[in-house]
Amino acid sequence: MFAIIRVAKVKSLGSLSGLSRHHTRASPTPNANAKAREAVRVLVGSGNPYNDAKALLPAKVRKNGVLAMEHLLTASPEYFRPGKPSAAGEYDQKLMEEWTLKAVEFLKDRYGSNLASAVLHLDESTPHIQALVIPKRADGKLDAATLFCPETLTDLQDRYASAMKPLGLTRGLEGSKAKHEPIQAHYARVNRPTPPIPPIKTPRPSLPDRTIAEKVPFSDAKRLRDEAEAEAKTQQERRNTEIAIRRKAVDTALPVLIEKSKAFDERKKADESRQRVVDEMKKTANIVRAIDLERVLEALGCERDPSDKKNWKTPVGRTTVTDQKFFNHDSGEGGGGAIDLVKQQLSCDYKSAVAWLASSFGVDHAVGAAMHEAKQIALSATQQKPPSPIPEPSTKPEHIERVRRYLVNTRKLSEVVVNACIKTGKIFAAVFSSKPGSVFVNVAFRLKDGVELRGTVGDYHGVRGKKGPFVLEGKTKEVAFVESSIDALSLKTKGFDGTVVSTTGNPSSTEISKIANEYRKMGFKILAAFDNDSPGEAMSKLIYPSERMRPINKDWNEDLVRSLEPDDVSTAQRSRARARVR
């Protein structure tokens, strides 16, 4: 059993992009089984070999230089499937995992930071790893001629075999003339034209038995018969020659015909297998698409427009929903079904959208009884980890500055308070895009397992991840409960520096009481600082006994904004004071 490793040069970004798509199966691979379990496993890198390799390339690259070296690592089939090496596609799970660990360890030890990506393929005849290595010297320059010269390639074979020796694998014969046939050459050979087989044009001669007259010596009948038999003999000789030529052509074409027949059978089997997967995916997709779009938007933390029930406020713009159709007015794009809606809202691909839906709703509860029948299909279609709905903080200064301007200039919050929250990560910029070129910057208030979002333009307000309280710490044994993160910051701006300010996170009434009781047990004084309206009064009752503290206007931010209006001095004076009523 041999340890097998091969390398090939990559000389252009176009070739690098093609290899990346092949490694990740983004482009069709005729000899791969699309239904194989864990068909593609990313071992090193982000899952996008092209981007990973390009990120390691120097700013200037010599024309026609070698950009990367593709590595293929595998082993003899009999290692992966002892006793049945010809059973293409089968492998022992434990042996495969042991080899994979050794191979990745070898690549990392040998190439370090020059290893851009490594992907394990289990969807072909034998498990193998395809890796991209940037031939970069310590000074940052590319030098494949030195780093991958005959001496280093020999050393590569030796050291790979040494690394695989604990698994019982050995090195192939050094200096062997055996050549590896690339898969492209294999298919070119299989699909080459069949040599022509010439037909037999000369018919078989046929003469009746001689009559008595044709047997009479020197008769005209015998003479004509002799001439006919001579012509028949000549005709048979021509036919024999054609038969010999045809037999030789058949002998030449037979291997090609056998190979093409085998390839046809394999391709037909693979096509049938792929079609079954496609049919199952379509069935699953149709079931998932039936999820009510309003439920999807609610799960995404979007809010319905109170003035128009069909319109929703989302982080990528105003969206109208009608039955199973939706339209985004900011991007001018729409679609149908839950999958397309999630793709637009999360800026993800088809598979990630299916995964998110299954993860968010649950396989059984997401689609009700209809999903029960297709449960196994849905599980196989959603094996990949779903994308987190919690956005990553933007590090671009212009995005952070837009958040700062919105909070300080529009919401009139203290710049000191805002800067402190940005510095500690309590507040960050979350950026969404509904189409290329369109950017929506949202203020993100970090919760325990999620974020509360507010659009810097418009009035979008939603939650990604799990709802929970937004808490601003204080030094006193006093906690004020408010309804939104903006209100929490407004109270801090109005002078409640030592008070702990917390939102309720919109949980159930039982949870609100529980949160308040936990603070009460720790000796905290409870302030019910909810909005000055009927819902605020109802929430205040849930945390009784507490001290009611009402804003003068509807909420604390409205108090803050109006207090800073130059023509409303009396309101400013009143809003700075604590309006506590027992």
Side-chain angles (χ1 to χ4, degrees):
M1 298 186 295
F2 297 109
I4 302 169
I5 185 169
R6 304 187 185 99
V7 296
K9 298 177 182 178
V10 183
K11 293 186 175 182
S12 69
L13 290 176
S15 299
L16 189 63
S17 176
L19 285 173
S20 176
R21 292 177 62 81
H22 171 71
H23 288 187
T24 58
R25 296 298 191 253
S27 58
T29 304
N31 59 311
N33 176 13
K35 200 176 180 180
R37 177 171 53 87
E38 296 182 316
V40 178
R41 189 191 301 177
V42 177
L43 304 174
V44 176
S46 66
N48 188 323
Y50 175 80
N51 288 344
D52 294 336
K54 193 175 179 182
L56 297 179
L57 291 172
K60 292 184 178 181
V61 178
R62 181 174 57 84
K63 188 176 181 180
N64 296 326
V66 176
L67 305 182
M69 297 294 291
E70 183 190 27
H71 287 54
L72 185 144
L73 297 82
T74 185
S76 299
E78 52 266 32
Y79 164 76
F80 292 106
R81 40 183 178 269
K84 46 181 179 179
S86 60
E90 295 186 18
Y91 57 88
D92 181 278
Q93 183 73 22
K94 183 179 179 181
L95 293 175
M96 181 275 293
E97 296 288 358
E98 290 177 348
W99 169 80
T100 301
L101 289 174
K102 289 285 186 183
V104 173
E105 183 181 354
F106 168 76
L107 287 171
K108 289 181 177 180
D109 288 345
R110 186 171 182 89
Y111 296 116
S113 61
N114 283 355
L115 177 61
S117 74
V119 180
L120 172 67
H121 292 154
L122 302 173
D123 55 357
E124 295 185 59
S125 176
T126 303
H128 61 273
I129 294 172
Q130 287 181 280
L132 289 174
V133 175
I134 305 304
K136 190 163 57 175
R137 300 188 316 224
D139 60 4
K141 295 183 179 180
L142 298 180
D143 189 2
T146 301
L147 299 178
F148 290 91
C149 64
E151 291 78 11
T152 58
L153 290 175
T154 298
D155 179 70
L156 174 67
Q157 297 283 350
D158 293 340
R159 293 188 179 275
Y160 177 63
S162 178
M164 297 297 115
K165 188 175 181 180
L167 304 180
L169 299 174
T170 59
R171 191 195 196 286
L173 181 63
E174 186 174 351
S176 170
K177 300 300 181 181
K179 298 294 183 181
H180 166 64
E181 181 182 43
I183 190 66
Q184 295 86 349
H186 168 73
Y187 278 99
R189 178 169 54 84
V190 170
N191 295 324
R192 72 179 185 267
T194 304
I197 300 176
I200 299 174
K201 297 181 179 180
T202 304
R204 187 190 304 276
S206 178
L207 291 174
D209 294 338
R210 282 178 180 259
T211 63
I212 295 175
E214 291 173 339
K215 296 179 180 179
V216 176
F218 306 110
S219 66
D220 290 339
K222 182 178 183 305
R223 180 177 56 77
L224 293 174
R225 175 66 187 209
D226 290 343
E227 291 175 356
E229 288 182 350
E231 177 59 30
K233 182 179 179 182
T234 301
Q235 181 178 335
Q236 184 60 50
E237 289 174 351
R238 287 200 304 271
R239 180 178 172 83
N240 291 342
T241 301
E242 291 177 357
I243 290 174
I245 294 173
R246 180 180 173 83
R247 284 177 176 170
K248 186 176 181 180
V250 169
D251 290 342
T252 302
L254 188 59
V256 179
L257 290 172
I258 293 174
E259 199 165 26
K260 288 172 72 69
S261 176
K262 181 180 178 181
F264 175 80
D265 290 341
E266 292 175 350
R267 192 169 302 172
K268 182 180 179 181
K269 184 178 179 181
D271 289 344
E272 291 173 349
S273 176
R274 282 192 293 272
Q275 188 58 48
R276 284 195 297 271
V277 175
V278 170
D279 292 341
E280 290 174 354
M281 283 293 292
K282 285 182 178 178
K283 183 179 179 182
T284 305
N286 289 334
I287 293 171
V288 177
R289 284 183 193 278
I291 299 176
D292 183 69
L293 299 190
E294 294 184 350
R295 292 181 63 200
V296 174
L297 288 171
E298 288 173 354
L300 287 166
C302 303
E303 289 186 348
R304 191 193 300 270
D305 189 337
S307 62
D308 186 347
K309 298 299 183 182
K310 291 186 177 181
N311 281 317
W312 290 73
K313 303 169 187 177
T314 81
V316 295
R318 183 167 66 93
T319 300
T320 299
V321 172
T322 306
D323 296 327
Q324 284 292 301
K325 300 290 184 182
F326 64 89
F327 182 78
N328 185 293
H329 296 273
D330 291 76
S331 66
E333 297 176 349
I339 294 176
D340 290 342
L341 179 59
V342 174
K343 285 170 62 179
Q344 183 188 79
Q345 291 292 318
L346 295 182
S347 301
C348 63
D349 60 15
Y350 177 90
K351 289 184 178 179
S352 295
V354 175
W356 184 89
L357 286 167
S359 173
S360 298
F361 290 97
V363 175
D364 293 316
H365 300 91
V367 293
M371 179 59 82
H372 182 71
E373 180 182 354
K375 183 174 181 179
Q376 294 305 317
I377 299 174
L379 285 172
S380 64
T382 57
Q383 286 298 310
Q384 70 178 91
K385 184 179 180 181
S388 172
I390 301 175
E392 291 294 326
S394 172
T395 57
K396 291 188 176 181
E398 62 268 26
H399 295 159
I400 299 172
E401 185 58 31
R402 187 183 298 185
V403 166
R404 195 193 320 274
R405 287 201 309 269
Y406 169 78
L407 295 174
V408 174
N409 297 341
T410 304
R411 292 292 186 166
K412 306 301 181 183
L413 300 172
S414 164
E415 189 168 2
V416 174
V417 173
V418 170
N419 287 340
C421 288
I422 292 176
K423 184 176 180 180
T424 58
K426 295 286 290 184
I427 296 175
F428 61 88
V431 180
F432 300 88
S433 175
S434 60
K435 65 178 182 179
S438 65
V439 175
F440 296 83
V441 178
N442 289 256
V443 183
F445 302 93
R446 192 177 295 281
L447 311 177
K448 180 180 178 182
D449 297 308
V451 296
E452 179 187 345
L453 297 175
R454 282 192 180 271
T456 55
V457 176
D459 56 355
Y460 169 72
H461 182 204
V463 174
R464 288 288 175 87
K466 293 183 179 180
K467 294 180 179 180
F470 175 76
V471 182
L472 296 176
E473 300 296 339
K475 297 180 180 179
T476 66
K477 287 284 187 175
E478 184 178 68
V479 57
F481 285 100
V482 295
E483 293 188 32
S484 72
S485 300
I486 290 291
D487 279 344
L489 290 165
S490 298
L491 270 189
K492 285 291 187 180
T493 299
K494 290 170 68 64
F496 288 76
D497 298 328
T499 303
V500 176
V501 184
S502 173
T503 65
T504 60
N506 294 324
S508 65
S509 57
T510 304
E511 287 296 317
I512 293 177
S513 300
K514 183 179 178 181
I515 293 172
N517 285 332
E518 289 177 353
Y519 276 103
R520 194 174 285 113
K521 289 177 182 178
M522 292 186 291
F524 276 75
K525 184 177 183 178
I526 309 300
L527 305 178
F530 299 114
D531 290 356
N532 189 7
D533 54 16
S534 55
E537 296 301 325
M539 293 182 72
S540 297
K541 293 177 181 178
L542 296 174
I543 60 173
Y544 186 83
S546 60
E547 187 171 327
R548 181 70 166 111
M549 187 173 71
R550 296 183 182 87
I552 295 173
N553 298 284
K554 180 182 180 296
D555 58 46
W556 296 106
N557 189 246
E558 187 176 347
D559 273 13
L560 181 64
V561 172
R562 291 194 176 189
S563 72
L564 297 176
E565 294 176 355
D567 57 345
D568 196 356
V569 178
S570 60
T571 301
Q573 292 172 344
R574 284 182 289 131
S575 62
R576 290 192 186 98
R578 293 190 176 190
R580 298 185 182 180
V581 179
R582 291 188 182 276

